[in-house]
Amino acid sequence: MLYFAASLHFTLMGERGYAARQCASEMDGDGVRGGQRRRLPGELSGVGKISALIGGAMRTSGQGGEGHKYALTSDEDDSDFWGFAHEADGLFTPLPDEEGARRVHLEGCLPQGGLLKSVDHVGSRRAIVGNAWLALLDGDGATMGSYFVNEVTVVDVKPSARGTGLVDLTVTLWCENALPGAERAWDLVRTGHLNHTGMWHELAPEERHAWLSVALWSRQYQRQGKPDAPVGQVFALDGRHIVDEDSFYCAIGEAVNGPGGYFGWNLDALDDCLCGGWGATAPFTLRWESSAEARARLVERISVGDREVALFDLLLEIFEERGVSVFL
């Protein structure tokens, strides 16, 4: 049963269908403004390669090292690893417009592959690296989740205070799914401090949506291949802090999959999760505690075919259709 024409429910790899944005560069035919390449900050006279800054050091792709929080890999070729970064300042800033353009400062980078080729061409068409997967790494360098980023373009490079042979890159990119407020939740996952229930209770409405996005993109990492709970499981849903639709998804994700857990973030996604593979397989039982309080708050009217249904009642319909017994 689908309640909207298009679902916002994606797996990480499902985003590979995003089309690359057309280049809007106004460079001349050979990609150089005014016919002369601008010298990179810190570049040695007579040396036109970033190797002058990084001393020829190289790191192979794989798990990150100490302090690395991010890694970039080409979307076109999984073997084209672009390097690690200690920070990605600006990735989770509010969008300057509806289309998701961001200016991101990658601190402490050792560029490789396609990224290394582009840093030598700031100011030209060849500074456009392309589309990539930006992975978020835990304290051991393992991938927690990934964002698809469009049209990564290097706009500045300088030596980094993070270490000898490293550089700080400023890039522009497009990323619709890196929501403002998500960085805090990623830090909790990274440090292992997302370890008790109720941590989302005090979040503002827009922060709850960002919390849910991290729950979605990190779900495989957090579950670590853990199978669904057995059929017939009883889950307790705490309704005391359910004040709107997003808070309902925060609560049920936590009820099924523990702190920071994911079990949908819109109606279609919830329906998908109830089909199995996301932590619970119907039939199961949901004991909705403080359900009267939740019913009084989930009063938004949702259009379903030729009728309108209160959100609380629609949720009950979805559960019943998927074989979930709800005790209020």
Side-chain angles (χ1 to χ4, degrees):
M1 179 175 180
L2 295 179
Y3 298 89
F4 297 98
S7 172
L8 294 179
H9 180 87
F10 303 115
T11 61
L12 294 177
M13 300 306 293
E15 289 190 315
R16 286 191 182 273
Y18 278 171
R21 200 171 289 277
Q22 293 294 319
C23 174
S25 174
E26 297 179 353
M27 309 296 178
D28 58 23
D30 62 1
V32 180
R33 292 188 186 276
Q36 183 176 2
R37 186 178 70 83
R38 180 163 62 93
R39 179 178 294 174
L40 302 179
E43 182 176 321
L44 301 182
S45 177
V47 179
K49 298 295 179 183
I50 197 66
S51 57
L53 297 178
I54 66 175
M58 290 295 292
R59 179 186 294 275
T60 59
S61 61
Q63 288 194 331
E66 184 177 355
H68 292 143
K69 294 182 179 180
Y70 302 91
L72 277 165
T73 304
S74 170
D75 176 55
E76 299 295 329
D77 181 359
D78 290 341
S79 66
D80 185 11
F81 179 70
W82 291 357
F84 298 105
H86 285 75
E87 297 289 347
D89 293 336
L91 179 63
F92 297 102
T93 56
L95 300 180
D97 54 48
E98 293 182 356
E99 299 193 350
R102 287 178 169 86
R103 189 179 182 93
V104 179
H105 301 281
L106 300 172
E107 296 182 8
C109 298
L110 191 61
Q112 299 179 50
L115 184 62
L116 179 61
K117 296 176 183 177
S118 294
V119 295
D120 288 319
H121 300 285
V122 173
S124 78
R125 288 184 183 274
R126 285 184 287 177
I128 302 173
V129 200
N131 303 333
W133 287 93
L134 178 62
L136 295 96
L137 310 178
D138 68 9
D140 295 322
T143 298
M144 301 185 296
S146 302
Y147 291 119
F148 181 77
V149 292
N150 289 85
E151 201 177 295
V152 178
T153 303
V154 181
V155 296
D156 193 26
V157 56
K158 61 183 179 181
S160 177
R162 293 276 181 176
T164 303
L166 302 180
V167 294
D168 292 342
L169 299 180
T170 301
V171 300
T172 57
L173 54 80
W174 303 78
C175 182
E176 297 180 356
N177 292 319
L179 302 182
E183 188 171 17
R184 173 177 175 267
W186 279 118
D187 285 341
L188 290 172
V189 177
R190 176 182 291 113
T191 59
H193 291 152
L194 208 171
N195 54 12
H196 60 273
T197 60
M199 298 182 72
W200 56 272
H201 289 171
E202 304 303 321
L203 296 179
E206 63 275 11
E207 293 174 324
R208 289 196 290 267
H209 197 64
W211 179 276
L212 288 168
S213 76
V214 175
L216 171 59
W217 306 127
S218 68
R219 70 169 189 88
Q220 292 178 324
Y221 172 81
Q222 293 205 67
R223 292 189 66 200
Q224 298 289 331
K226 181 181 178 181
D228 279 3
V231 171
Q233 183 82 15
V234 178
F235 298 100
L237 175 63
D238 186 351
R240 291 176 298 172
H241 300 277
I242 296 177
V243 297
D244 56 15
E245 188 173 357
D246 278 346
S247 57
F248 164 77
Y249 298 125
C250 289
I252 194 168
E254 187 170 82
V256 174
N257 288 310
Y262 174 80
F263 203 71
W265 69 335
N266 58 56
L267 291 172
D268 280 336
L270 173 64
D271 189 64
D272 288 345
C273 289
L274 290 169
C275 293
W278 298 83
T281 300
F284 61 81
T285 298
L286 190 66
R287 296 191 180 279
W288 195 331
E289 301 167 356
S290 302
S291 58
E293 298 174 35
R295 184 191 289 273
R297 294 163 179 160
L298 300 181
V299 295
E300 179 186 357
R301 308 296 291 182
I302 308 295
S303 295
V304 181
D306 58 355
R307 63 193 179 103
E308 286 193 348
V309 184
L311 176 57
F312 184 89
D313 294 328
L314 182 54
L315 291 171
L316 294 182
E317 287 184 15
I318 296 173
F319 286 133
E320 181 180 8
E321 184 168 311
R322 290 300 183 190
V324 177
S325 299
V326 181
F327 288 88
L328 304 177

